[in-house]
Amino acid sequence: SIPECQQQLPHADNGVEPLPEAMLWLLLTGTVPTVAQTKALNAELQARGAHESVAETKKLLDTLPAKMHPMTQFSMGVLSLQNHSKFAKAYSEGKANKANYWELAFEDSLDCIARSPQVAAMIYKKIVTGKTDVPAIDPKLDWAANFSNQMGFTDAAFHDCMRLYQSIHVDHEGGNVSAHTTTLVGSALSDPYLSFSAGLNGLAGPLHGLANQEVLTYIFEMQRKCKEAGIDMKDKEALKKGLDKFTWDLLNSKRVVPGYGHAVLRKTDPRYTCQREFCLRNFPEDELFILVDTIYSIMPDILTKHGKTKNPFPNVDAHSGVLLQHFGVTQQEFYTVLFGVSRQIGVLSGLVWDRLQGRPIERPKSFTTQYLWEKYQKK
């Protein structure tokens, strides 16, 4: 569980949240790494990160239009890194076989996880400064802290926030679009870069990776309405009463409350809970957090009374934007890139296991329209 990972996985000396590289070790081996093993894996990733492919990709990013969506740039950046795929090279040279597919997938996955955060940081800097220059990897920092530092954030609290964010977004089940797409494309023996890039394209879809942006739009709308109504955000009862009214107005207008409900879960998303606890520890007086936490206190009852939601509890997207906004990452179009940087840890670990287990190419059955008509017309 997430609480168990927070408790058992190694953390940075100046933080309390689990290190994403420790999560990577857990997903690849099924065991909790020691502090020494986690540090060794971080050193390995840093060594792999210092590679010519990153400089080559920087040149590509410099040629892309400034207004190109960050997810498009990130997907293209991962494809640029693919030029150095060990899996693809071995396969083209006739040196890849069923016995070593997993080793080649493992090599590519570690390389991608080591290098792609630098690409993501370059994209962020391009949004903020117009240039893709980022500092070199700092050997004293862990994986998430280095990523944060390359984005331009040196605050220790933000580093720990990013450790949490990157750990809880890795993967939560195989049926979501980005995870399944990566698995599907990888089943054709496409290398991990090609597979992950395809998964990123699925993650970019509005119904998958844009949810936290839609939640922020809703939260800002509620914040505006509260202020227009003269509600004091620190008056809990007045805030609850106002939000109750505004929520029913929204539901009665045939709109939905973003960030609530989940395709699988039927309780509060544990990823929501750990983000809430982070806020309570670090900035309980933040206005957006107060707003989100108050919504959480009233929303399950409202949605239950409304009767059209199977799961009236919040999911991970109901909270993640608040953390990023607090620390100054206000460029919402970049949020899905952050999601993608994390998601690769889960989907690429799964890809290694797929090749180790010898899973075949996915080939779903297909049916004619006539068959479907005859099968379901009676129903």
Side-chain angles (χ1 to χ4, degrees), residues 86-371:
K86 295 168 183 173
F87 190 108
K89 184 175 186 293
Y91 199 94
S92 68
E93 295 174 350
K95 297 178 181 179
N97 54 65
K98 291 183 178 180
N100 68 4
Y101 284 161
W102 77 269
E103 296 179 68
L104 296 168
F106 175 74
E107 288 292 324
D108 271 3
S109 295
L110 287 188
D111 286 344
C112 185
I113 292 169
R115 299 164 190 170
S116 62
Q118 298 177 75
V119 175
M122 291 175 186
I123 294 169
Y124 181 75
K125 295 295 285 187
K126 185 176 181 179
I127 295 171
V128 176
T129 69
K131 298 182 179 180
T132 57
D133 300 327
V134 298
I137 293 174
D138 187 337
K140 299 186 296 297
L141 297 178
D142 54 85
W143 184 80
N146 254 309
F147 176 40
S148 304
N149 188 58
Q150 290 186 314
M151 286 175 62
F153 294 89
T154 58
D155 180 53
F158 181 75
H159 290 184
D160 218 30
C161 173
M162 195 52 58
R163 294 180 190 113
L164 175 65
Y165 186 98
Q166 296 297 333
S167 292
I168 65 175
H169 284 83
V170 291
D171 193 9
H172 57 96
E173 43 94 10
N176 65 74
V177 171
S178 55
H180 181 241
T181 300
T182 304
T183 297
L184 171 65
V185 176
S187 76
L189 294 186
S190 298
D191 63 66
Y193 296 97
L194 297 175
S195 304
F196 177 50
S197 178
L200 286 174
N201 295 337
L203 183 62
L207 294 183
H208 189 13
L210 289 184
N212 60 359
Q213 296 174 50
E214 293 174 348
V215 169
L216 271 178
T217 299
Y218 160 71
I219 292 172
F220 288 142
E221 179 184 352
M222 293 296 105
Q223 183 184 45
R224 175 181 56 80
K225 288 186 175 183
C226 286
K227 290 185 175 181
E228 289 176 349
I231 296 173
D232 181 356
M233 291 290 185
K234 295 184 178 181
D235 186 336
K236 293 185 178 180
E237 292 307 314
L239 186 56
K240 284 183 179 181
K241 185 176 179 180
L243 288 171
D244 184 272
K245 177 185 182 305
F246 301 146
T247 300
W248 278 111
D249 289 345
L250 182 144
L251 293 171
N252 290 332
S253 66
K254 308 301 181 183
R255 293 172 60 191
V256 299
V257 178
Y260 280 75
H262 191 276
V264 177
L265 296 174
R266 292 296 177 265
K267 62 180 182 178
T268 298
D269 191 328
R271 297 169 299 168
Y272 175 95
T273 302
C274 65
Q275 290 180 97
R276 178 176 182 268
E277 292 170 348
F278 183 93
C279 293
L280 286 170
R281 288 197 309 270
N282 291 278
F283 42 87
E285 299 304 315
D286 180 274
E287 185 170 287
L288 283 184
F289 170 65
I290 291 173
L291 190 63
V292 167
D293 207 42
T294 305
I295 291 172
Y296 176 46
S297 70
I298 66 172
M299 192 59 67
D301 284 343
I302 292 175
L303 293 178
T304 299
K305 291 177 182 176
H306 189 240
K308 296 185 178 180
T309 305
K310 292 182 179 179
N311 174 29
F313 300 103
N315 57 51
V316 64
D317 299 307
H319 218 308
S320 57
V322 172
L323 275 74
L324 299 173
Q325 288 282 321
H326 174 82
F327 286 107
V329 185
T330 58
Q331 299 77 13
Q332 293 186 38
E333 69 273 19
F334 185 74
Y335 287 4
T336 317
V337 176
L338 289 174
F339 196 159
V341 171
S342 170
R343 180 51 56 95
Q344 66 180 322
I345 292 176
V347 299
L348 293 181
S349 296
L351 207 63
V352 173
W353 279 102
D354 289 346
R355 299 290 77 77
L356 181 62
Q357 295 167 350
R359 289 183 60 176
I361 188 171
E362 286 195 24
R363 191 185 296 275
K365 292 181 179 179
S366 58
F367 301 102
T368 64
T369 305
Q370 182 64 29
Y371 169 84

Side-chain angles (χ1 to χ4, degrees), residues 48-60 77 80-85 111-112 115-116 118-119 122 193:
R48 290 170 181 262
H51 191 267
E52 62 183 302
S53 60
V54 177
E56 293 170 359
T57 301
K58 182 180 186 300
K59 292 180 180 179
L60 168 66
S80 173
L81 296 175
Q82 190 271 345
N83 189 44
H84 294 269
S85 167
D111 286 344
C112 185
R115 299 164 190 170
S116 62
Q118 298 177 75
V119 175
M122 291 175 186
Y193 296 97

